Amino acid sequence: MTTPRPGLRERKKQATRAALREAALRLAVERGPDQVRVEDIAEAAGVSPRTYNNYFVSREQAIVSAVTADREARIAAAVAARPSGGRLADAVTEAVVEQYTNTGEREHEALLLITTTTALRKAFLDATAGIEPPLTAVIAERLDDPGAHTARVLAASVAAAVRIALEDWLRPSGNAEAVRNLDAVGLVVPSGSLPDRLRAALSPLAPAFDAAERRTQP
């Protein structure tokens, strides 16, 4: 799948978004997330608060975006790059696992903030919905699904499965009420293997992917 190069206007928007998310993470690491205001992020990125609001709805979304940015596009690109002869379910699973577990220093800094801040944790989980649009396009092309109806269902299911895996990974142990109400917990310690949790959450979708592929075979 060939992706056209964005025009100048779109490149400027991408640069502004990148500047905002980088400023948000830097300030959150330096001061702590609760001590960062939208105005601070906008000033650090060289834009107005009004411009900031065109890109992010909260400081938490901007901070989390520093680790989740472009991940959705990378997942879709990884699926598209895999040989067409292989199982689509395997391609999607490996792409998700790779992009969620191969992290650098910046991602580790952001994850530390996320595990200690309730609002950031919620924004991190909400960001999984971003997987759906680019993955829908790739699956639709792979399945020759012009209306993308099947592709949308499959991509939405992948996004939901990833969220469930992350919720389980970040779920605190101990008090039963705390386990039921993740949003009420301050510090959590990620538990278990994230790749294993992702694969386990995605595995029930494999029969649906296989069935969709069989329908496209001559």
Side-chain angles (χ1 to χ4, degrees):
M1 183 174 68
T2 302
T3 303
R5 188 170 185 267
L8 178 59
R9 179 183 175 84
E10 183 59 30
R11 291 200 301 274
K12 287 182 176 179
K13 290 173 64 176
Q14 291 175 356
T16 300
R17 183 181 294 274
L20 286 167
R21 67 190 182 223
E22 294 302 326
L25 178 58
R26 177 172 55 80
L27 292 174
V29 170
E30 291 174 356
R31 306 178 185 179
D34 292 339
Q35 303 304 315
V36 178
R37 303 176 306 158
V38 166
E39 291 80 5
D40 300 328
I41 299 172
E43 181 180 359
V47 301
S48 68
R50 182 176 180 179
T51 297
Y52 173 97
N53 291 329
N54 291 332
Y55 292 87
F56 299 106
V57 300
S58 67
R59 66 182 177 186
E60 288 80 14
Q61 188 184 62
I63 295 168
V64 165
S65 180
V67 65
T68 62
D70 305 323
R71 177 182 283 162
E72 299 87 355
R74 294 197 305 269
I75 289 173
V79 173
R82 291 180 72 90
S84 58
R87 288 177 74 208
L88 181 55
D90 292 340
V92 171
T93 297
E94 294 310 310
V96 168
V97 170
E98 178 183 5
Q99 294 304 325
Y100 269 89
T101 57
N102 289 350
T103 57
E105 181 179 352
R106 183 186 65 173
E107 287 79 4
H108 283 298
E109 288 183 326
L111 187 58
L112 179 60
L113 294 175
I114 289 166
T115 57
T116 58
T117 310
T118 301
L120 288 180
R121 219 159 39 240
K122 184 178 185 304
F124 180 62
L125 293 172
D126 289 346
T128 57
I131 293 172
E132 184 179 344
L135 189 57
T136 293
V138 171
I139 293 174
E141 181 170 308
R142 182 78 170 258
L143 297 178
D144 191 20
D145 179 17
H149 301 300
T150 298
R152 286 178 60 193
V153 171
L154 291 172
S157 299
V158 169
V162 171
R163 182 180 180 115
I164 289 169
L166 293 176
E167 286 177 344
D168 287 345
W169 187 55
L170 293 171
R171 190 173 302 281
S173 59
N175 184 279
E177 181 62 27
V179 171
R180 287 194 296 270
N181 188 7
L182 179 61
D183 288 344
V185 181
L187 170 66
V188 298
V189 178
S191 60
S193 165
L194 180 55
D196 289 347
R197 290 186 183 278
L198 288 167
R199 288 192 172 93
L202 290 166
S203 63
L205 304 182
F209 274 102
D210 292 343
E213 285 193 287
R214 285 195 297 271
R215 288 198 295 271
T216 66
Q217 293 173 354

